[in-house]
Amino acid sequence: MAEPTPSFQRETAHKILLGQMLHGKIVQEEGVPLLMLPSLEKVARVNVIATILIKEKVGNITNILIDDGTGQVVLRFFEQVPLIEQ
C-alpha cells in the first residue's frame, strides 16, 4: 500500500497596511523568510488593498507604484503577466 503524499497547506494571508510592512523586518525561520511586524507578529503572506499610482515598462520589466494611504511600495515584475498588461 502506497503512503499518502503530504498535502501542501498555504499560509494564511494577513490583511496589513503598507506602513506596517515598511516598518517590519525580514527574518528567517527554518529557512523560510517571514515579515516581522512592529507588533512582533510574524507573517508569511500578506493581503494589501492599494491604489496604483504609476505603471511603467522598461524592456521586459514592469514597475508599479502602489499606495494605500499609509505608505508606498514599488512592485517589480520580471515576466509578462496578462492581468498587469490590461
Side-chain angles (χ1 to χ4, degrees):
M1 183 177 212
E3 288 185 34
T5 58
S7 62
F8 175 75
Q9 185 165 352
R10 248 176 131 165
E11 294 289 334
T12 303
H14 297 264
K15 294 180 184 177
I16 65 170
L17 301 171
L18 292 177
Q20 291 174 298
M21 280 180 49
L22 294 172
H23 289 98
K25 290 185 349 182
I26 302 295
V27 295
Q28 292 280 336
E29 226 173 68
E30 299 176 12
V32 176
L34 300 172
L35 175 65
M36 182 182 289
L37 300 175
S39 64
L40 301 180
E41 180 181 11
K42 295 177 187 172
V43 297
R45 295 178 64 229
V46 297
N47 184 358
V48 175
I49 297 175
T51 302
I52 297 174
L53 299 179
I54 299 171
K55 177 183 162 190
E56 68 177 0
K57 191 163 175 84
V58 180
N60 290 335
I61 300 172
T62 302
N63 296 317
I64 297 177
L65 177 65
I66 62 171
D67 185 336
D68 72 348
T70 65
Q72 296 180 349
V73 172
V74 174
L75 308 176
R76 185 164 290 145
F77 298 87
F78 297 97
E79 299 173 357
Q80 288 186 350
V81 178
L83 183 62
I84 292 173
E85 300 302 322
Q86 299 175 358

